[in-house]
Amino acid sequence: MDETITPVELSRELGMDRKGKQIRGFLRNPADGGGPFEGHEIGTEWHLTPEQAERIRAHFKKA
C-alpha cells in the first residue's frame, strides 16, 4: 500500500496555512539544493512519498 501525504496534510502537521500553498510553492521551486521533486503530473494533486515529506519537514522546520 502506498504511504503518501498531501501538501495540505503536511501543512496542517507543520502548523502552516491550511491549503498547503507554501509547500506547493516549495515543491515547484525547491530552494534547498536538493533538486526537483519528481513524479508529479501538472494539474493533479501532489502525493508525497515519506522521503519527500521528510525533506519538506526539514526545510520548513529550519525556517
Side-chain angles (χ1 to χ4, degrees):
M1 183 166 159
D2 198 20
E3 291 292 324
T4 62
I5 188 169
T6 67
V8 171
E9 293 166 333
L10 193 53
S11 185
R12 287 183 186 143
E13 173 190 317
L14 295 171
M16 299 166 66
D17 73 275
R18 292 187 194 195
K19 295 184 180 179
K21 285 185 174 184
Q22 288 174 286
I23 291 176
R24 288 195 317 270
F26 177 71
L27 290 166
R28 290 185 196 99
N29 188 19
D32 66 349
F37 285 87
E38 303 292 337
H40 177 257
E41 286 188 42
I42 294 173
T44 63
E45 184 176 38
W46 288 89
H47 290 277
L48 306 166
T49 66
E51 294 81 15
Q52 291 171 326
E54 281 305 312
R55 179 177 164 193
I56 292 165
R57 286 181 188 106
H59 175 75
F60 284 101
K61 285 181 181 179
K62 287 181 190 174

